[in-house]
Amino acid sequence: MRRLVSFVLAIWAISAFGANAFDLTPKASAALKRGEAYAEVTPDADGVSGHVKAVIDIDAPIQRVWRTMTDCAAAKAMISTLTGCRVVEGDQARGWDIREHITRRNLVFPGMRIVFRSDYEPYGLIRFRLVEGDLKVQQGEWRLQALDGGRRTRVFYENRLAVDWPVPKALMREALRRDTPKVLMNLRRVCQ
């Protein structure tokens, strides 16, 4: 389960979001004050997908965070199960690209292939959505907000996600709630 979650988070981490992505809850604000990443995962109204919201503060300028989030080599450092990342079509400089991520299999889950489109608004917003592959639903965004005169960055993450596997949805949500902050902490580590 952990490898599956790491893979799914890799997709998010490579895809990116401006200011006020969502209102910070008291729990999220408290986690940020402690220097931690925060994530909450709730079921979507459709009964199929989950809705992930997460946030982290990073002691690095927004341009550095952006470059890290959009670099395939950095994606592998953030997501342990990611074995391949490549741009299939488009160009970030033109405002969009389509990327393919490949993950290795583990004892429970097969390796996965996910192809997603990212639309970029440097240096504040990356919207992403599933094009094809082994997920059922994936649609979200990353927002970056400059803090402290540009010396730090707040990263917001939001995603609707569903898989087509016989995994209890509550178990999947709990794994995402536990592992999403780990991927964000890896992003922070790579940026700093």
Side-chain angles (χ1 to χ4, degrees):
M1 176 60 73
R2 173 174 245 157
R3 289 179 191 249
L4 164 68
V5 172
S6 293
F7 165 73
V8 171
L9 293 173
I11 294 166
W12 302 325
I14 306 311
S15 310
F17 238 77
N20 305 321
F22 53 82
D23 292 329
L24 292 177
T25 65
K27 286 182 179 180
S29 295
L32 292 174
K33 286 179 185 173
R34 291 189 306 267
E36 300 171 357
Y38 177 79
E40 60 185 52
V41 183
T42 56
D44 255 356
D46 64 9
V48 174
S49 57
H51 189 194
V52 180
K53 291 182 178 183
V55 63
I56 191 169
D57 287 345
I58 299 174
D59 290 332
I62 202 166
Q63 292 86 351
R64 184 183 316 154
V65 175
W66 179 273
R67 282 191 311 271
T68 301
M69 293 179 73
T70 58
D71 177 26
C72 276
K76 290 180 181 180
M78 292 182 292
I79 302 139
S80 63
T81 59
L82 189 66
T83 62
C85 173
R86 72 182 179 103
V87 175
V88 176
E89 185 180 341
D91 184 341
Q92 188 184 138
R94 292 191 342 225
W96 68 276
D97 65 26
I98 296 175
R99 294 180 183 218
E100 176 187 64
H101 283 179
I102 305 291
T103 63
R104 69 177 171 264
R105 65 185 178 96
N106 63 27
L107 295 174
V108 178
F109 298 105
M112 294 182 60
R113 175 178 174 265
I114 306 297
V115 180
F116 60 96
R117 177 182 170 122
S118 296
D119 293 293
Y120 302 99
E121 295 178 22
Y123 292 93
L125 175 66
I126 301 170
R127 287 193 173 98
F128 58 93
R129 63 179 166 78
L130 183 66
V131 173
E132 65 182 51
D134 297 320
L135 291 177
K136 186 173 182 177
V137 175
Q138 177 199 346
Q139 180 176 349
E141 64 183 21
W142 295 87
R143 288 192 181 268
L144 283 69
Q145 176 184 8
L147 301 174
D148 298 333
R151 292 184 303 277
R152 300 173 60 235
T153 305
R154 178 163 290 162
V155 178
F156 295 93
Y157 169 73
E158 192 163 1
N159 192 12
R160 277 189 63 237
L161 168 73
V163 296
D164 228 355
W165 304 320
V167 176
K169 290 173 182 56
L171 181 63
M172 184 69 169
R173 284 192 302 271
E174 183 54 37
L176 287 168
R177 187 177 298 108
R178 183 188 65 241
D179 290 346
T180 300
K182 293 176 185 176
V183 172
L184 292 176
M185 295 298 284
N186 286 342
L187 171 62
R188 176 193 282 165
R189 181 183 46 79
V190 174
C191 288
Q192 294 177 345

